[in-house]
Structures are given as C-alpha cells and as structure tokens.
Amino acid sequence: MAEDQQPLQIVILGASFAGLSTVHNIISHVFPEIHASKKFTYKIILVSPSNHLYWNISAPRALVSTQLIPHSDSFRPLADGISKYPSNQLQWIQGAAISVDTRHRTVQLSCPAPEENSQSFTGGYDELANRASDAMNTATTVVKDLATHGSNPNYDPRKGGYFGDESRQIFLDYHALIFATGTTAHSPLLSLRGPHSNTVTAIDNFHQQLPTADTVIVAGGGPSGVETAGQIAYWYSLRHGPRKPRVPFPNPLSRLSSRSCTPSPYTKKVILLSGSSRLLPNLEESVGTKAYKQLSNLGVRVILGIRVTSASVEGRTGKTTVRLSNGSQMPCDLYVPCTGVTPNTKYLPQDSPLLRDGYIATTPNPSTLRVEIPPELMPDTSDFNPNSPRRVKTVETDESDSPMSPDTPQAFGDNPGSISQAARVYAIGDCAAYGRQEILDIYAAMPILIHNLTNDLLAYQLAYDNPYGGNAGEIGELQRQDAVYIRTDKPSQVCPIGYRKPGGVGTVFGVGLPSLVVFLMKGKDYRVKQLREVVAQGLSPYPDSRK
C-alpha cells in the first residue's frame, strides 16, 4: 500500500448488541482475510451516542430496585470491549448519524462539542442528532475522491473525514457502511436515549417514586409490559400480596437498608392494559392465557382490548392521567408505556427507498443483509480516476483501454445482486427489516453479514488488481458463495413473571417452555453474568441458543 494512502473505513452506526458484535467479528474474522493482499489497510469507525451498553434485557427488574439489578449490572462501558484494539484498527466517535449519502459514500454525524460532553441529551439516537443539527447549519461540500481532500482546510486525514465548526458536524468517508442503530422504546426506562446517564437518571427517578406510588399503570401486553407488571407486583407482594412466594428475590429483606428498596406498607395496585384481546399476541394463545393467570395471582389487574391514547402529568400533584381508547380516563401515580419501539433510522428521509415501514430494507428473505440500493443512489463514479489511490476494478468491455469504476454494478457482472454488492452497505439488528426484531436475530444473522462483507471486500481488492478488466472468474465465484439469512416464523420470547414462583412463560423457536425453564433461562438473574462477555467478545446473551 502506498505510504500516503489512508485506510479504507468501515463505518458502523450503533454500538449496542449488534454494533459491538459486528466490531469483534470484523476484527477477528474479516481483517485476517482481507489484509492478505497487503494493498489496503482497513479501519473501523464505530459511532454511538452512548459510551455504555445498556443491558435492557433486565430492565423490567432493574426499574424496581437497584438492590435487584444494580446499575453496574445494567450498564457497562464500551471501553471494556474495544479498548484492547489499536487505534489504527478501531476508532469510536460519540455522536449520531443525521444523514447518509450513498452516492458519495459519506455519513454526516452530529457530535457534542467538547464543552457539551458532560451535559445530558434528553432524546434518543435520533433526538441527539437533531439537537446538534438544529444548532448548526455549516455548509460543506461533499468530497468525492480521496485525492481532493488535501485542498479542504477542514479535512483531517487522521480521522478519515472533514469537520465543521467546533466539530459539531462530522462528514465521514466510508468504504463499507453497516447500520446497527437499533430501536428506541417508548419508555425512557427500557432503552438508551443518548448518553447512558439519561437512562440512569430515569431509572433513579422511578426508584424514588415507586415505593410511595399507590397505583401503577403499565401499558402494553407484549413481553416488556408483561414482565414489568409482573416484576413490580411480585416485589410488592412479598408482604402484602394475595400470595406470599416461598422464594424471595436474591437479596433477603433483612439485608436491605435503602428506604427506596423497602416494600411499601400499602397494597400497591398494578394495572396492565393491553390493546389486544389477549396477552403476548405473537405467541400461542395458551401462552398468553398462562401469563394472564400468573399475573392475576400476583394481584395484577389485567384489562384487555383497551389501548392508551395519551397520558399527561399533573404538574402540581405529579399524578398521571391516562386516556383510553374507550373514552374513559384512569388516574395513576406512575405510568410505564411498554407499547413498542421506533426504529432509529431518521438519518434517512421518511420516503427513502432504503426504508421499509421505517426499517432498513435489506435484500428480501432469504436476506444477504445487504441494503437494497436503487440504481439512482449508487455511488457517483462520474469523476473516476484510474490513477487515484482509490482506483478500483473495471469490467472487460469492447474498449478495453477505457477503465470503469468497480463501484458500478457492472463491475460485479450480471448477477441480480450486483447493485447491493457494489454499494457495500449492510444492516443488522433491530433497525433492519430482515428479522423479527428479536435479540437472537442479531447473532443468527452475524455469520451471514461477516461472510458477505468479507467476499465483497475481497471482490473490491480483486478489481483493484485489474483496473482494465480481469479476475472476472474469481469475482464470480465470490458472488456464488453468498450466504443468506432465512427468517424463522417461529418466535422466541421468554417472559419472567416474578421470580421462581410463578416463574413466567415463553417459547423458543415456537416450543413452549415450562415456568421452571423460564426461571433458569432468564428469570433467575436476567442473564446479567453474560454482560461482560457480550461487551468484551461480542457473544450472544444466550450462547446456548442456536437457530
């Protein structure tokens, strides 16, 4: 590789379960394959609003008390997993994407200015981006070729991009782009919204209010709603509930000293509202019926077929009024919306052809995890320079002396997937449309992403070796080796209700689980012991689960 040639950047947007696992797998499996040519070096740029991973698997129990799930088991620094990699392999940037330009292979980020690093951002991934974007309107011309960067006074080759005033906006070049931005829950308790300190504050505030709350309304009959209602009801039924479970939580009452963790002397009303005619509507009806019975035995009042249309907090009293789809209202002391999630994809226009119902549109099922890029959004090669450091493969034509950029679909032959192969844009995790937005989808799809990314990068390198054509056979062989992800129609949801008793409900790949298995698989400790390995190695929270 030429001494003045900068590394080709693999930009990963998002650093939660999908993003972190992608980092570890690229460095462990992709880099050894693509570095063999010695013609290029590669560098990962990891972008996320938070410098911690939130173990939101345990959120339904963590929001009850830090005695049950301490913050140290809910949040873990990203540095525990990525600091071991040298800076020439990986760089982390705190920020959020606000736009993506696939024609020029750039991503625009909004990042907190240095003096704002310690401040709190109240929004989620998208809201963090919007705040900085609104605060600054610096106009910058998109750079198309690495050779032109030198004339831009804001370009910093050490960072692989160019920067606006006060580093509030950053434009990154990418050689490959991976969307792993996930989703944001409707409740600030259940997912990150910007820096992790925002979620810590939201949980602490809930802990302060919960002991003295007489009525708690949980909206949503899915897994999060069922678990949250069950955890709150179980904790406050230890003394006053209709049943006294024989097995307490891990910390016996005699060891609790914090007032915020002491059960209220009053019976707490927990109400669960579900807009569906049954709980857990994505599972078998018998599973939802079982969950209904277990919650009822803990004193939870379950109301089916009623949706929350709005909720407002009275400033003077702090109480919440919940308005329902039947026109009635219900007052409560605390309200927890577990009514779904929103994909973090606002860096793309709502009408973008890259979106499908708000989620990143990957190639149809079975999916290669490549993003479907229409021809009009393919990389602009009008200024292609065969002598540029980024010169890439051309295809054989009748005019063999006329080089063609391999960033065009023709460089990859007549394969129908040539467009997405040449674009080198991928999506994995909850932000993508390929799966069921279940955590197991991430790790089941990871080998497919890694395999296809490796082959696409190798095809690029083969193209570079022959800018006037050639290596068509080798590139064609790489195309024929595409791996695909086949989405299963069998859902996997595990919902602890209480602790050992009543245990909970769930299915794995469509197979129903006894309550004891739910307890052992998740309810015992919400798998917090796996947090370290997830961050440090990118492993699945359920390493013994395979599709």
mmCIF file of all heavy atoms in Angstrom, residues 351-395:
data_model
loop_
_atom_site.group_PDB
_atom_site.id
_atom_site.type_symbol
_atom_site.label_atom_id
_atom_site.label_comp_id
_atom_site.label_asym_id
_atom_site.label_seq_id
_atom_site.Cartn_x
_atom_site.Cartn_y
_atom_site.Cartn_z
ATOM 1 N N ASP A 351 -39.394 8.984 3.147
ATOM 2 C CA ASP A 351 -39.747 8.380 1.877
ATOM 3 C C ASP A 351 -38.550 7.736 1.182
ATOM 4 O O ASP A 351 -38.604 7.435 -0.013
ATOM 5 C CB ASP A 351 -40.375 9.421 0.947
ATOM 6 C CG ASP A 351 -39.436 10.603 0.674
ATOM 7 O OD1 ASP A 351 -38.381 10.693 1.332
ATOM 8 O OD2 ASP A 351 -39.774 11.436 -0.189
ATOM 9 N N SER A 352 -37.481 7.518 1.918
ATOM 10 C CA SER A 352 -36.279 6.928 1.326
ATOM 11 C C SER A 352 -36.570 5.521 0.814
ATOM 12 O O SER A 352 -37.217 4.713 1.500
ATOM 13 C CB SER A 352 -35.150 6.867 2.361
ATOM 14 O OG SER A 352 -34.058 6.110 1.859
ATOM 15 N N PRO A 353 -36.095 5.195 -0.381
ATOM 16 C CA PRO A 353 -36.259 3.821 -0.874
ATOM 17 C C PRO A 353 -35.450 2.808 -0.075
ATOM 18 O O PRO A 353 -35.620 1.603 -0.273
ATOM 19 C CB PRO A 353 -35.764 3.914 -2.323
ATOM 20 C CG PRO A 353 -34.851 5.096 -2.361
ATOM 21 C CD PRO A 353 -35.410 6.057 -1.357
ATOM 22 N N LEU A 354 -34.590 3.294 0.826
ATOM 23 C CA LEU A 354 -33.818 2.393 1.661
ATOM 24 C C LEU A 354 -34.607 1.922 2.878
ATOM 25 O O LEU A 354 -34.115 1.093 3.656
ATOM 26 C CB LEU A 354 -32.523 3.055 2.134
ATOM 27 C CG LEU A 354 -31.305 2.986 1.207
ATOM 28 C CD1 LEU A 354 -31.594 3.621 -0.141
ATOM 29 C CD2 LEU A 354 -30.096 3.642 1.865
ATOM 30 N N LEU A 355 -35.821 2.435 3.060
ATOM 31 C CA LEU A 355 -36.633 2.090 4.214
ATOM 32 C C LEU A 355 -37.830 1.243 3.814
ATOM 33 O O LEU A 355 -38.381 1.394 2.716
ATOM 34 C CB LEU A 355 -37.122 3.352 4.935
ATOM 35 C CG LEU A 355 -36.071 4.233 5.598
ATOM 36 C CD1 LEU A 355 -36.737 5.443 6.232
ATOM 37 C CD2 LEU A 355 -35.283 3.456 6.652
ATOM 38 N N ARG A 356 -38.226 0.369 4.727
ATOM 39 C CA ARG A 356 -39.445 -0.414 4.584
ATOM 40 C C ARG A 356 -40.188 -0.340 5.915
ATOM 41 O O ARG A 356 -39.778 -0.927 6.900
ATOM 42 C CB ARG A 356 -39.116 -1.861 4.221
ATOM 43 C CG ARG A 356 -40.326 -2.741 3.897
ATOM 44 C CD ARG A 356 -39.892 -4.173 3.637
ATOM 45 N NE ARG A 356 -38.872 -4.231 2.600
ATOM 46 C CZ ARG A 356 -37.892 -5.134 2.589
ATOM 47 N NH1 ARG A 356 -37.781 -6.003 3.575
ATOM 48 N NH2 ARG A 356 -37.005 -5.141 1.612
ATOM 49 N N ASP A 357 -41.271 0.445 5.937
ATOM 50 C CA ASP A 357 -42.030 0.681 7.174
ATOM 51 C C ASP A 357 -41.132 1.236 8.281
ATOM 52 O O ASP A 357 -41.289 0.899 9.453
ATOM 53 C CB ASP A 357 -42.707 -0.613 7.648
ATOM 54 C CG ASP A 357 -43.743 -1.121 6.661
ATOM 55 O OD1 ASP A 357 -44.385 -0.286 6.002
ATOM 56 O OD2 ASP A 357 -43.898 -2.351 6.541
ATOM 57 N N GLY A 358 -40.194 2.081 7.897
ATOM 58 C CA GLY A 358 -39.314 2.713 8.867
ATOM 59 C C GLY A 358 -38.047 1.937 9.161
ATOM 60 O O GLY A 358 -37.131 2.471 9.792
ATOM 61 N N TYR A 359 -37.968 0.688 8.743
ATOM 62 C CA TYR A 359 -36.802 -0.155 8.997
ATOM 63 C C TYR A 359 -35.926 -0.216 7.735
ATOM 64 O O TYR A 359 -36.423 -0.084 6.609
ATOM 65 C CB TYR A 359 -37.226 -1.563 9.414
ATOM 66 C CG TYR A 359 -37.914 -1.600 10.761
ATOM 67 C CD1 TYR A 359 -39.278 -1.362 10.877
ATOM 68 C CD2 TYR A 359 -37.196 -1.867 11.926
ATOM 69 C CE1 TYR A 359 -39.911 -1.385 12.115
ATOM 70 C CE2 TYR A 359 -37.818 -1.895 13.165
ATOM 71 C CZ TYR A 359 -39.169 -1.651 13.256
ATOM 72 O OH TYR A 359 -39.794 -1.667 14.492
ATOM 73 N N ILE A 360 -34.630 -0.447 7.931
ATOM 74 C CA ILE A 360 -33.705 -0.522 6.805
ATOM 75 C C ILE A 360 -34.069 -1.736 5.938
ATOM 76 O O ILE A 360 -34.159 -2.862 6.433
ATOM 77 C CB ILE A 360 -32.251 -0.645 7.280
ATOM 78 C CG1 ILE A 360 -31.875 0.516 8.212
ATOM 79 C CG2 ILE A 360 -31.306 -0.699 6.083
ATOM 80 C CD1 ILE A 360 -31.833 1.851 7.545
ATOM 81 N N ALA A 361 -34.266 -1.495 4.652
ATOM 82 C CA ALA A 361 -34.695 -2.545 3.734
ATOM 83 C C ALA A 361 -33.493 -3.334 3.247
ATOM 84 O O ALA A 361 -32.723 -2.864 2.395
ATOM 85 C CB ALA A 361 -35.453 -1.938 2.554
ATOM 86 N N THR A 362 -33.308 -4.515 3.793
ATOM 87 C CA THR A 362 -32.279 -5.415 3.290
ATOM 88 C C THR A 362 -32.855 -6.231 2.143
ATOM 89 O O THR A 362 -34.059 -6.193 1.877
ATOM 90 C CB THR A 362 -31.784 -6.344 4.404
ATOM 91 O OG1 THR A 362 -32.911 -7.015 4.998
ATOM 92 C CG2 THR A 362 -31.068 -5.558 5.486
ATOM 93 N N THR A 363 -31.991 -6.980 1.466
ATOM 94 C CA THR A 363 -32.467 -7.818 0.374
ATOM 95 C C THR A 363 -33.534 -8.772 0.895
ATOM 96 O O THR A 363 -33.498 -9.195 2.048
ATOM 97 C CB THR A 363 -31.304 -8.611 -0.233
ATOM 98 O OG1 THR A 363 -30.615 -9.300 0.825
ATOM 99 C CG2 THR A 363 -30.331 -7.684 -0.941
ATOM 100 N N PRO A 364 -34.529 -9.107 0.069
ATOM 101 C CA PRO A 364 -35.683 -9.887 0.546
ATOM 102 C C PRO A 364 -35.284 -11.229 1.138
ATOM 103 O O PRO A 364 -34.210 -11.758 0.865
ATOM 104 C CB PRO A 364 -36.538 -10.058 -0.716
ATOM 105 C CG PRO A 364 -36.100 -8.966 -1.640
ATOM 106 C CD PRO A 364 -34.647 -8.747 -1.352
ATOM 107 N N ASN A 365 -36.179 -11.761 1.951
ATOM 108 C CA ASN A 365 -35.978 -13.061 2.591
ATOM 109 C C ASN A 365 -35.933 -14.174 1.526
ATOM 110 O O ASN A 365 -36.836 -14.265 0.712
ATOM 111 C CB ASN A 365 -37.119 -13.323 3.579
ATOM 112 C CG ASN A 365 -36.850 -14.518 4.485
ATOM 113 O OD1 ASN A 365 -35.713 -14.783 4.836
ATOM 114 N ND2 ASN A 365 -37.901 -15.227 4.844
ATOM 115 N N PRO A 366 -34.891 -15.029 1.485
ATOM 116 C CA PRO A 366 -33.727 -15.012 2.370
ATOM 117 C C PRO A 366 -32.809 -13.830 2.077
ATOM 118 O O PRO A 366 -32.618 -13.469 0.920
ATOM 119 C CB PRO A 366 -33.036 -16.341 2.083
ATOM 120 C CG PRO A 366 -33.441 -16.678 0.689
ATOM 121 C CD PRO A 366 -34.838 -16.161 0.518
ATOM 122 N N SER A 367 -32.261 -13.248 3.129
ATOM 123 C CA SER A 367 -31.548 -11.991 3.007
ATOM 124 C C SER A 367 -30.042 -12.173 3.097
ATOM 125 O O SER A 367 -29.548 -12.988 3.877
ATOM 126 C CB SER A 367 -31.998 -11.024 4.105
ATOM 127 O OG SER A 367 -31.272 -9.815 4.043
ATOM 128 N N THR A 368 -29.331 -11.386 2.298
ATOM 129 C CA THR A 368 -27.867 -11.340 2.396
ATOM 130 C C THR A 368 -27.417 -10.303 3.415
ATOM 131 O O THR A 368 -26.221 -10.165 3.658
ATOM 132 C CB THR A 368 -27.249 -10.982 1.040
ATOM 133 O OG1 THR A 368 -27.695 -9.676 0.655
ATOM 134 C CG2 THR A 368 -27.641 -11.995 -0.027
ATOM 135 N N LEU A 369 -28.343 -9.541 3.979
ATOM 136 C CA LEU A 369 -28.112 -8.428 4.897
ATOM 137 C C LEU A 369 -27.516 -7.210 4.197
ATOM 138 O O LEU A 369 -27.167 -6.234 4.844
ATOM 139 C CB LEU A 369 -27.257 -8.828 6.102
ATOM 140 C CG LEU A 369 -28.067 -9.379 7.287
ATOM 141 C CD1 LEU A 369 -28.668 -10.744 6.952
ATOM 142 C CD2 LEU A 369 -27.222 -9.486 8.540
ATOM 143 N N ARG A 370 -27.401 -7.266 2.874
ATOM 144 C CA ARG A 370 -27.052 -6.060 2.131
ATOM 145 C C ARG A 370 -28.295 -5.184 2.021
ATOM 146 O O ARG A 370 -29.410 -5.679 1.889
ATOM 147 C CB ARG A 370 -26.537 -6.404 0.738
ATOM 148 C CG ARG A 370 -25.257 -7.244 0.720
ATOM 149 C CD ARG A 370 -24.770 -7.389 -0.707
ATOM 150 N NE ARG A 370 -23.601 -8.275 -0.784
ATOM 151 C CZ ARG A 370 -23.664 -9.565 -1.106
ATOM 152 N NH1 ARG A 370 -24.840 -10.100 -1.398
ATOM 153 N NH2 ARG A 370 -22.570 -10.301 -1.153
ATOM 154 N N VAL A 371 -28.085 -3.889 2.059
ATOM 155 C CA VAL A 371 -29.196 -2.951 1.917
ATOM 156 C C VAL A 371 -29.529 -2.812 0.442
ATOM 157 O O VAL A 371 -28.625 -2.745 -0.415
ATOM 158 C CB VAL A 371 -28.846 -1.581 2.526
ATOM 159 C CG1 VAL A 371 -29.977 -0.578 2.317
ATOM 160 C CG2 VAL A 371 -28.555 -1.738 4.024
ATOM 161 N N GLU A 372 -30.805 -2.770 0.146
ATOM 162 C CA GLU A 372 -31.250 -2.607 -1.238
ATOM 163 C C GLU A 372 -31.019 -1.158 -1.672
ATOM 164 O O GLU A 372 -31.712 -0.248 -1.229
ATOM 165 C CB GLU A 372 -32.726 -2.964 -1.368
ATOM 166 C CG GLU A 372 -33.021 -4.439 -1.129
ATOM 167 C CD GLU A 372 -34.480 -4.766 -1.337
ATOM 168 O OE1 GLU A 372 -35.303 -4.311 -0.526
ATOM 169 O OE2 GLU A 372 -34.812 -5.471 -2.308
ATOM 170 N N ILE A 373 -30.043 -0.947 -2.539
ATOM 171 C CA ILE A 373 -29.716 0.388 -3.036
ATOM 172 C C ILE A 373 -30.238 0.521 -4.468
ATOM 173 O O ILE A 373 -29.787 -0.207 -5.357
ATOM 174 C CB ILE A 373 -28.198 0.640 -3.020
ATOM 175 C CG1 ILE A 373 -27.609 0.359 -1.631
ATOM 176 C CG2 ILE A 373 -27.891 2.067 -3.466
ATOM 177 C CD1 ILE A 373 -28.038 1.326 -0.570
ATOM 178 N N PRO A 374 -31.186 1.417 -4.721
ATOM 179 C CA PRO A 374 -31.666 1.594 -6.093
ATOM 180 C C PRO A 374 -30.575 2.200 -6.972
ATOM 181 O O PRO A 374 -29.649 2.853 -6.473
ATOM 182 C CB PRO A 374 -32.856 2.550 -5.936
ATOM 183 C CG PRO A 374 -32.586 3.287 -4.665
ATOM 184 C CD PRO A 374 -31.868 2.322 -3.771
ATOM 185 N N PRO A 375 -30.649 2.007 -8.283
ATOM 186 C CA PRO A 375 -29.584 2.499 -9.187
ATOM 187 C C PRO A 375 -29.305 3.990 -9.041
ATOM 188 O O PRO A 375 -28.157 4.418 -9.137
ATOM 189 C CB PRO A 375 -30.133 2.161 -10.580
ATOM 190 C CG PRO A 375 -31.045 0.992 -10.352
ATOM 191 C CD PRO A 375 -31.662 1.218 -9.002
ATOM 192 N N GLU A 376 -30.359 4.785 -8.795
ATOM 193 C CA GLU A 376 -30.142 6.231 -8.719
ATOM 194 C C GLU A 376 -29.376 6.654 -7.466
ATOM 195 O O GLU A 376 -28.906 7.789 -7.384
ATOM 196 C CB GLU A 376 -31.481 6.973 -8.773
ATOM 197 C CG GLU A 376 -32.408 6.717 -7.590
ATOM 198 C CD GLU A 376 -33.318 5.525 -7.779
ATOM 199 O OE1 GLU A 376 -33.028 4.690 -8.681
ATOM 200 O OE2 GLU A 376 -34.317 5.410 -7.059
ATOM 201 N N LEU A 377 -29.233 5.758 -6.497
ATOM 202 C CA LEU A 377 -28.487 6.080 -5.285
ATOM 203 C C LEU A 377 -27.155 5.349 -5.212
ATOM 204 O O LEU A 377 -26.479 5.374 -4.178
ATOM 205 C CB LEU A 377 -29.326 5.750 -4.038
ATOM 206 C CG LEU A 377 -30.601 6.569 -3.854
ATOM 207 C CD1 LEU A 377 -31.323 6.165 -2.570
ATOM 208 C CD2 LEU A 377 -30.285 8.065 -3.818
ATOM 209 N N MET A 378 -26.764 4.720 -6.304
ATOM 210 C CA MET A 378 -25.472 4.057 -6.339
ATOM 211 C C MET A 378 -24.344 5.089 -6.348
ATOM 212 O O MET A 378 -24.564 6.251 -6.714
ATOM 213 C CB MET A 378 -25.369 3.162 -7.571
ATOM 214 C CG MET A 378 -26.082 1.834 -7.410
ATOM 215 S SD MET A 378 -25.334 0.832 -6.111
ATOM 216 C CE MET A 378 -23.715 0.508 -6.798
ATOM 217 N N PRO A 379 -23.138 4.699 -5.937
ATOM 218 C CA PRO A 379 -22.022 5.650 -5.874
ATOM 219 C C PRO A 379 -21.797 6.375 -7.192
ATOM 220 O O PRO A 379 -21.877 5.787 -8.281
ATOM 221 C CB PRO A 379 -20.829 4.768 -5.516
ATOM 222 C CG PRO A 379 -21.430 3.637 -4.766
ATOM 223 C CD PRO A 379 -22.763 3.381 -5.401
ATOM 224 N N ASP A 380 -21.521 7.669 -7.097
ATOM 225 C CA ASP A 380 -21.244 8.511 -8.254
ATOM 226 C C ASP A 380 -19.820 8.248 -8.731
ATOM 227 O O ASP A 380 -18.857 8.459 -7.999
ATOM 228 C CB ASP A 380 -21.420 9.974 -7.877
ATOM 229 C CG ASP A 380 -21.165 10.920 -9.045
ATOM 230 O OD1 ASP A 380 -21.045 10.418 -10.180
ATOM 231 O OD2 ASP A 380 -21.092 12.141 -8.811
ATOM 232 N N THR A 381 -19.682 7.765 -9.945
ATOM 233 C CA THR A 381 -18.347 7.463 -10.492
ATOM 234 C C THR A 381 -18.021 8.347 -11.694
ATOM 235 O O THR A 381 -17.148 8.020 -12.495
ATOM 236 C CB THR A 381 -18.272 5.990 -10.915
ATOM 237 O OG1 THR A 381 -19.288 5.731 -11.898
ATOM 238 C CG2 THR A 381 -18.500 5.075 -9.726
ATOM 239 N N SER A 382 -18.720 9.480 -11.808
ATOM 240 C CA SER A 382 -18.507 10.339 -12.979
ATOM 241 C C SER A 382 -17.109 10.925 -13.030
ATOM 242 O O SER A 382 -16.606 11.262 -14.099
ATOM 243 C CB SER A 382 -19.546 11.464 -12.989
ATOM 244 O OG SER A 382 -19.438 12.253 -11.806
ATOM 245 N N ASP A 383 -16.478 11.059 -11.851
ATOM 246 C CA ASP A 383 -15.125 11.622 -11.837
ATOM 247 C C ASP A 383 -14.082 10.550 -11.554
ATOM 248 O O ASP A 383 -13.027 10.820 -11.013
ATOM 249 C CB ASP A 383 -15.028 12.736 -10.782
ATOM 250 C CG ASP A 383 -15.316 12.221 -9.379
ATOM 251 O OD1 ASP A 383 -15.799 11.074 -9.252
ATOM 252 O OD2 ASP A 383 -15.040 12.971 -8.423
ATOM 253 N N PHE A 384 -14.395 9.308 -11.931
ATOM 254 C CA PHE A 384 -13.490 8.197 -11.662
ATOM 255 C C PHE A 384 -12.127 8.429 -12.292
ATOM 256 O O PHE A 384 -12.010 8.776 -13.469
ATOM 257 C CB PHE A 384 -14.090 6.894 -12.193
ATOM 258 C CG PHE A 384 -13.139 5.728 -12.131
ATOM 259 C CD1 PHE A 384 -12.706 5.236 -10.918
ATOM 260 C CD2 PHE A 384 -12.684 5.130 -13.296
ATOM 261 C CE1 PHE A 384 -11.837 4.162 -10.843
ATOM 262 C CE2 PHE A 384 -11.815 4.060 -13.236
ATOM 263 C CZ PHE A 384 -11.394 3.573 -12.016
ATOM 264 N N ASN A 385 -11.091 8.233 -11.493
ATOM 265 C CA ASN A 385 -9.714 8.417 -11.944
ATOM 266 C C ASN A 385 -8.970 7.099 -11.758
ATOM 267 O O ASN A 385 -8.719 6.687 -10.636
ATOM 268 C CB ASN A 385 -9.050 9.530 -11.127
ATOM 269 C CG ASN A 385 -7.581 9.715 -11.500
ATOM 270 O OD1 ASN A 385 -7.085 9.114 -12.451
ATOM 271 N ND2 ASN A 385 -6.893 10.556 -10.743
ATOM 272 N N PRO A 386 -8.598 6.414 -12.833
ATOM 273 C CA PRO A 386 -7.938 5.111 -12.685
ATOM 274 C C PRO A 386 -6.588 5.202 -12.009
ATOM 275 O O PRO A 386 -6.055 4.198 -11.562
ATOM 276 C CB PRO A 386 -7.811 4.619 -14.135
ATOM 277 C CG PRO A 386 -7.839 5.853 -14.958
ATOM 278 C CD PRO A 386 -8.735 6.814 -14.232
ATOM 279 N N ASN A 387 -6.021 6.399 -11.907
ATOM 280 C CA ASN A 387 -4.726 6.569 -11.246
ATOM 281 C C ASN A 387 -4.865 6.995 -9.797
ATOM 282 O O ASN A 387 -3.879 7.222 -9.117
ATOM 283 C CB ASN A 387 -3.892 7.600 -12.010
ATOM 284 C CG ASN A 387 -3.604 7.145 -13.424
ATOM 285 O OD1 ASN A 387 -3.241 5.991 -13.639
ATOM 286 N ND2 ASN A 387 -3.776 8.047 -14.391
ATOM 287 N N SER A 388 -6.113 7.118 -9.330
ATOM 288 C CA SER A 388 -6.364 7.524 -7.957
ATOM 289 C C SER A 388 -6.002 6.400 -7.006
ATOM 290 O O SER A 388 -6.068 5.223 -7.365
ATOM 291 C CB SER A 388 -7.846 7.890 -7.792
ATOM 292 O OG SER A 388 -8.207 7.870 -6.432
ATOM 293 N N PRO A 389 -5.603 6.734 -5.765
ATOM 294 C CA PRO A 389 -5.363 5.678 -4.778
ATOM 295 C C PRO A 389 -6.581 4.801 -4.561
ATOM 296 O O PRO A 389 -6.462 3.682 -4.088
ATOM 297 C CB PRO A 389 -5.005 6.465 -3.506
ATOM 298 C CG PRO A 389 -4.511 7.775 -3.993
ATOM 299 C CD PRO A 389 -5.303 8.061 -5.231
ATOM 300 N N ARG A 390 -7.779 5.338 -4.901
ATOM 301 C CA ARG A 390 -8.982 4.542 -4.719
ATOM 302 C C ARG A 390 -9.448 3.930 -6.041
ATOM 303 O O ARG A 390 -10.603 3.586 -6.191
ATOM 304 C CB ARG A 390 -10.099 5.400 -4.127
ATOM 305 C CG ARG A 390 -9.900 5.601 -2.632
ATOM 306 C CD ARG A 390 -11.162 6.130 -1.989
ATOM 307 N NE ARG A 390 -11.076 6.021 -0.546
ATOM 308 C CZ ARG A 390 -12.033 6.361 0.281
ATOM 309 N NH1 ARG A 390 -13.161 6.831 -0.183
ATOM 310 N NH2 ARG A 390 -11.890 6.227 1.583
ATOM 311 N N ARG A 391 -8.534 3.824 -6.986
ATOM 312 C CA ARG A 391 -8.872 3.180 -8.243
ATOM 313 C C ARG A 391 -9.323 1.762 -7.966
ATOM 314 O O ARG A 391 -8.723 1.032 -7.184
ATOM 315 C CB ARG A 391 -7.626 3.138 -9.136
ATOM 316 C CG ARG A 391 -7.856 2.510 -10.489
ATOM 317 C CD ARG A 391 -6.529 2.078 -11.076
ATOM 318 N NE ARG A 391 -5.938 1.026 -10.263
ATOM 319 C CZ ARG A 391 -4.681 0.641 -10.376
ATOM 320 N NH1 ARG A 391 -3.876 1.246 -11.214
ATOM 321 N NH2 ARG A 391 -4.219 -0.332 -9.619
ATOM 322 N N VAL A 392 -10.394 1.351 -8.593
ATOM 323 C CA VAL A 392 -10.921 0.016 -8.348
ATOM 324 C C VAL A 392 -11.221 -0.663 -9.664
ATOM 325 O O VAL A 392 -11.012 -0.113 -10.737
ATOM 326 C CB VAL A 392 -12.193 0.100 -7.484
ATOM 327 C CG1 VAL A 392 -11.837 0.390 -6.055
ATOM 328 C CG2 VAL A 392 -13.119 1.155 -8.030
ATOM 329 N N LYS A 393 -11.723 -1.867 -9.599
ATOM 330 C CA LYS A 393 -11.857 -2.726 -10.761
ATOM 331 C C LYS A 393 -12.755 -2.172 -11.854
ATOM 332 O O LYS A 393 -13.737 -1.528 -11.604
ATOM 333 C CB LYS A 393 -12.425 -4.085 -10.326
ATOM 334 C CG LYS A 393 -12.777 -4.987 -11.500
ATOM 335 C CD LYS A 393 -13.607 -6.146 -11.022
ATOM 336 C CE LYS A 393 -13.989 -7.020 -12.203
ATOM 337 N NZ LYS A 393 -15.237 -6.616 -12.809
ATOM 338 N N THR A 394 -12.360 -2.450 -13.070
ATOM 339 C CA THR A 394 -13.232 -2.174 -14.197
ATOM 340 C C THR A 394 -13.592 -3.496 -14.847
ATOM 341 O O THR A 394 -12.919 -4.512 -14.647
ATOM 342 C CB THR A 394 -12.530 -1.292 -15.233
ATOM 343 O OG1 THR A 394 -11.411 -2.003 -15.741
ATOM 344 C CG2 THR A 394 -12.073 0.009 -14.622
ATOM 345 N N VAL A 395 -14.648 -3.491 -15.619
ATOM 346 C CA VAL A 395 -15.053 -4.708 -16.305
ATOM 347 C C VAL A 395 -14.485 -4.721 -17.712
ATOM 348 O O VAL A 395 -14.113 -3.702 -18.274
ATOM 349 C CB VAL A 395 -16.595 -4.803 -16.373
ATOM 350 C CG1 VAL A 395 -17.170 -4.937 -14.995
ATOM 351 C CG2 VAL A 395 -17.177 -3.596 -17.087
#
